[in-house]
Amino acid sequence: MDSEDDARDSADEDFYSGGEAGLALSDDGDADYDFADHDSDDSDDLISHRQQQNYSILSEADIKQHQADDMNRVSTVLSISKSEACALLRSYNWSVSKVHDEWFVDEERVRSAVGLPEKQIEMPNERELTCGICFESCPRESMSAASCGHPFCGVCWRGYISTAINDGPGCLMLRCPDPSCSAAVGQDMIDLLASDEDKGKYDRYLCRSYIEDNRKTKWCPAPGCEYAVEFVVGGGSYDVSCGCSYGFCWNCTEEAHRPVDCSTVSKWILKNSAESENMNWILANSKPCPKCKRPIEKNQGCMHITCTPPCKFEFCWLCLGPWSDHGERTGGFYACNRYEAARQEGAFDDSERRREMAKNSLERYTHYYERWAANQSSRQKALGDLQSLQNDKLEKLSDLQSQPESQLKFIIEAWLQIVECRRVLKWTYAYGYYLPDNEHAKRQFFEYLQGEAESGLERLHQCAEKELQIYLDADCPSKDFNDFRTKLAGLTSVTRNYFENLVRALESGLNDVGPNSSHGACSKAVSSKSLGGKSKSGKSKAPSASKSGSSTRGMDDGNIWACDQCTFANPRSARSCQVCDHQQHR
């Protein structure tokens, strides 16, 4: 961006900017666990940290206020009327600094381009004037003129303005009705002469112009949403969460898709909607009739195929030859000796190869698409569960367990984490589909990170859904509710760490993996990040367990060991996991 308006400080952090795992190492090496009893202040601090953002949500009132502030700034600095300031800002896409730059470089040229005469020209000082449209003589007090001084009667002005407004947003650049004049018709003329209905339309066009012509603002793409978003340039992430709860990418306006880039998302969406997969399915699962060439699918029965009317051609499914040439001597109804002989001679190699390639391509696409769609469905269900929890279940749980709702925010945190992780996991399948097959080390590293993150998310989702229901169905306060709090908060923290590792790796293009890297090296890289990494607040992050193949081991790093079952980082002195009670293997 080239304007001073765009040079703002970016937000400190976004969702994945080094969140802590709930574990900090003290000076003497012991592990401190601060998530067991979240008070309301701690929870509020955590939510506040995660809600730091590089954008702001604008309602209609906010838009009009921003608009008025910009017009006041330009009017004050350039010593012009607000109507003229409005015309200038519209012409320069509502960029205050661009208006100032151009004005002070060449004021005369800017005035000429926008249609602002240097001096206001008054109408002739006569009792009666002739309207330039209807050519009727009218009293001077019933005539009006723009800054150019060309007089027109009130009836013609209202008709001219009404027609322009009904034609669309072009009315914002309205000029004097005189064909030889380019003077701008400002908002003051609209307010003076237009009907209430036309003034309302003009105001809506002006409001839309502020968002649609401004490089810093966009409308939320969700159907029916009336919020706009002002984006602060220089922020790390393009993901935006609107006031209507819809998340989208500022750059491409598709749904939020971090850590996958916009070009990959564009290709994936196009592939999901294109006809190419239909053609692949037809090629992989059907054969053309030898006579009319219409595709035929065979899903059961013998090899004797009869095409549909009007063709009615009878042929063999295997060799595509006329059925009249077949019988017992060629193998009967369920085999074809001719086909076997011809295949051995290579007669069907090309067609079989094309069909096999189409089938492999279709199976690969289906694998990734089904998992992409499944996580989308799971995310929608999680959003519904979160809404239900916030509406009534949290209050019910507060009464049952005799605890204030402020002490139950760890449950909301867990569900918010589930919703976000489902979104990230969904888009990792689009990323995996376009990951080159020849980059084996990167694919192996990607699948390892994706698998670890998915396993952690499934454990968290099950705990937040199934185990929470036990306490919702209880008739009295449960003694082990604090244990559930500890477990859910711990799983939330561990899952967040897994997804931070995954997001960082994908956003860096899996550059940590060299061409000769092995899976063990990949695992070691992830583990070292989790163990030795420092967050921006100076605390050590919790370690995550390293896995290789199907075996898992407690990872010993000084005074810390990782649980085999939930991968939570525990102090060495603990004999069992403080999240899931799994015993430590000595």
Side-chain angles (χ1 to χ4, degrees):
M1 304 291 281
D2 56 358
S3 67
E4 63 186 14
D5 298 333
D6 303 329
R8 302 181 182 177
D9 294 332
S10 62
D12 295 331
E13 301 292 337
D14 55 9
F15 185 84
Y16 289 108
S17 56
E20 298 182 22
L23 174 144
L25 295 180
S26 61
D27 295 336
D28 59 0
D30 293 333
D32 298 327
Y33 294 86
D34 58 359
F35 57 79
D37 291 309
H38 286 293
D39 57 30
S40 59
D41 292 336
D42 291 340
S43 183
D44 290 341
D45 290 342
L46 181 59
I47 294 173
S48 173
H49 171 76
R50 290 184 50 185
Q51 286 180 342
Q52 290 175 341
Q53 54 193 29
N54 52 348
Y55 59 88
S56 56
I57 309 299
L58 304 178
S59 64
E60 184 177 354
D62 296 329
I63 296 169
K64 290 182 177 180
Q65 185 60 52
H66 279 56
Q67 204 171 37
D69 291 344
D70 288 349
M71 287 191 285
N72 286 333
R73 289 170 61 191
V74 172
S75 175
T76 301
V77 173
L78 304 185
S79 300
I80 57 178
S81 69
K82 290 183 181 180
S83 178
E84 291 175 319
C86 182
L88 278 171
L89 285 166
R90 287 199 311 269
S91 298
Y92 288 95
N93 295 329
W94 299 95
S95 173
V96 174
S97 62
K98 188 71 177 295
V99 169
H100 290 166
D101 293 344
E102 296 293 327
W103 182 273
F104 291 120
V105 168
D106 193 343
E107 178 183 340
E108 184 178 348
R109 180 183 61 80
V110 172
R111 283 186 174 275
S112 175
V114 178
L116 301 177
E118 190 170 351
K119 293 183 179 180
Q120 178 83 22
I121 301 174
E122 297 294 334
M123 292 187 297
N125 190 16
E126 300 177 7
R127 293 182 61 183
E128 289 192 351
L129 299 173
T130 301
C131 173
I133 295 178
C134 66
F135 299 105
E136 294 286 340
S137 294
C138 303
R140 188 178 188 277
E141 57 269 16
S142 66
M143 305 288 278
S144 300
S147 55
C148 57
H150 292 126
F152 301 95
C153 68
V155 174
C156 291
W157 264 119
R158 282 188 288 274
Y160 177 68
I161 291 174
S162 179
T163 301
I165 290 176
N166 288 323
D167 282 346
C171 64
L172 299 177
M173 306 300 290
L174 196 61
R175 300 301 175 103
C176 173
D178 190 305
S180 62
C181 181
S182 61
V185 177
Q187 189 176 10
D188 53 347
M189 294 286 292
I190 303 295
D191 293 338
L192 178 66
L193 298 168
S195 65
D196 290 341
E197 182 181 356
D198 287 340
K199 280 191 282 189
K201 289 182 181 179
Y202 187 88
D203 287 343
R204 287 193 292 273
Y205 287 141
L206 195 63
C207 183
R208 282 174 50 188
S209 168
Y210 186 80
I211 300 301
E212 294 167 8
D213 296 340
N214 196 332
R215 295 173 66 184
K216 301 179 297 179
T217 55
K218 288 180 182 178
W219 293 110
C220 171
C225 179
E226 296 182 354
Y227 286 110
V229 179
E230 183 178 28
F231 193 79
V232 179
V233 176
S237 171
Y238 283 119
D239 282 3
V240 169
S241 181
C242 180
C244 67
S245 299
Y246 181 74
F248 68 96
C249 171
W250 169 265
N251 191 44
C252 65
T253 67
E254 295 290 349
E255 65 171 293
H257 52 72
R258 192 182 181 212
V260 181
D261 60 72
C262 296
S263 62
T264 300
V265 171
S266 178
K267 289 188 294 185
W268 178 254
I269 292 175
L270 180 62
K271 188 170 188 64
N272 292 345
S273 61
E275 291 295 321
S276 59
E277 293 310 316
N278 292 342
M279 295 307 299
N280 272 341
W281 190 94
I282 291 172
L283 185 59
N285 297 281
S286 69
K287 292 183 180 181
C289 169
K291 183 178 180 181
C292 69
K293 305 303 180 184
R294 280 186 295 179
I296 298 174
E297 178 193 8
K298 177 184 179 299
N299 52 21
Q300 61 181 350
C302 66
M303 302 302 166
H304 180 197
I305 305 296
T306 303
C307 188
T308 56
C311 177
K312 295 185 178 181
F313 182 70
E314 299 182 36
F315 62 95
C316 171
W317 174 257
L318 291 175
C319 71
L320 301 181
W323 188 254
S324 58
D325 297 339
H326 291 67
E328 292 296 331
R329 65 184 184 280
T330 60
F333 284 88
Y334 291 92
C336 180
N337 297 337
R338 292 186 177 187
Y339 170 75
E340 295 297 334
R343 189 176 67 171
Q344 290 177 4
E345 295 174 2
F348 295 101
D349 284 355
D350 289 341
S351 60
E352 290 293 336
R353 189 182 304 111
R354 285 197 302 271
R355 186 172 290 107
E356 189 64 26
M357 289 175 61
K359 181 174 288 188
N360 291 340
S361 174
L362 183 63
E363 287 176 354
R364 182 172 180 271
Y365 168 73
T366 302
H367 169 85
Y368 286 97
Y369 178 79
E370 285 179 348
R371 285 154 181 79
W372 180 86
N375 278 284
Q376 169 70 359
S377 177
S378 295
R379 182 175 184 272
Q380 292 300 323
K381 184 179 183 302
L383 280 170
D385 291 342
L386 174 61
Q387 188 71 27
S388 173
L389 185 67
Q390 291 173 320
N391 288 342
D392 53 10
K393 290 185 178 179
L394 203 64
E395 183 179 356
K396 176 184 175 182
L397 186 65
S398 175
D399 295 337
L400 284 172
Q401 301 300 326
S402 302
Q403 296 194 21
E405 289 189 28
S406 59
Q407 296 290 327
L408 303 178
K409 288 185 178 180
F410 71 96
I411 301 175
I412 300 298
E413 267 300 296
W415 278 102
L416 288 172
Q417 185 71 47
I418 290 168
V419 169
E420 177 64 9
C421 290
R422 286 293 177 193
R423 182 193 65 77
V424 172
L425 190 60
K426 177 184 78 169
W427 286 110
T428 61
Y429 283 102
Y431 183 95
Y433 180 79
Y434 290 105
L435 193 62
D437 289 332
N438 58 348
E439 297 186 0
H440 301 295
K442 284 189 175 183
R443 176 167 291 279
Q444 200 171 20
F445 186 35
F446 162 73
E447 290 176 353
Y448 167 76
L449 289 175
Q450 186 188 51
E452 292 291 291
E454 189 163 14
S455 297
L457 175 57
E458 293 300 335
R459 288 193 296 269
L460 173 62
H461 203 156
Q462 181 173 356
C463 180
E465 187 175 36
K466 304 294 185 185
E467 296 184 31
L468 176 63
Q469 192 62 42
I470 297 174
Y471 299 99
L472 286 170
D473 295 337
D475 296 328
C476 58
S478 302
K479 294 181 180 179
D480 60 347
F481 185 74
N482 282 336
D483 295 336
F484 168 73
R485 179 203 305 273
T486 302
K487 180 177 181 180
L488 185 60
L491 287 174
T492 302
S493 178
V494 169
T495 304
R496 183 183 301 122
N497 271 352
Y498 276 139
F499 276 84
E500 284 171 358
N501 286 335
L502 177 62
V503 168
R504 280 196 295 267
L506 298 193
E507 287 188 330
S508 67
L510 300 173
N511 289 332
D512 290 341
V513 184
N516 297 322
S517 297
S518 65
H519 183 65
C522 299
S523 304
K524 184 177 180 181
V526 177
S527 301
S528 64
K529 280 186 181 180
S530 302
L531 279 168
K534 292 276 187 178
S535 69
K536 295 195 175 182
S537 62
K539 295 182 180 179
S540 298
K541 295 180 183 177
S544 40
S546 173
K547 293 185 180 181
S548 179
S550 59
S551 63
T552 61
R553 278 183 239 174
M555 189 168 48
D556 189 1
D557 185 68
N559 293 318
I560 300 171
W561 63 276
C563 174
D564 292 345
Q565 181 168 313
C566 72
T567 72
F568 186 74
N570 295 274
R572 187 176 180 81
S573 58
R575 293 184 176 274
S576 61
C577 177
Q578 298 195 13
V579 172
C580 65
D581 293 328
H582 185 67
Q583 295 293 318
Q584 177 186 9
H585 292 298
R586 297 289 184 178

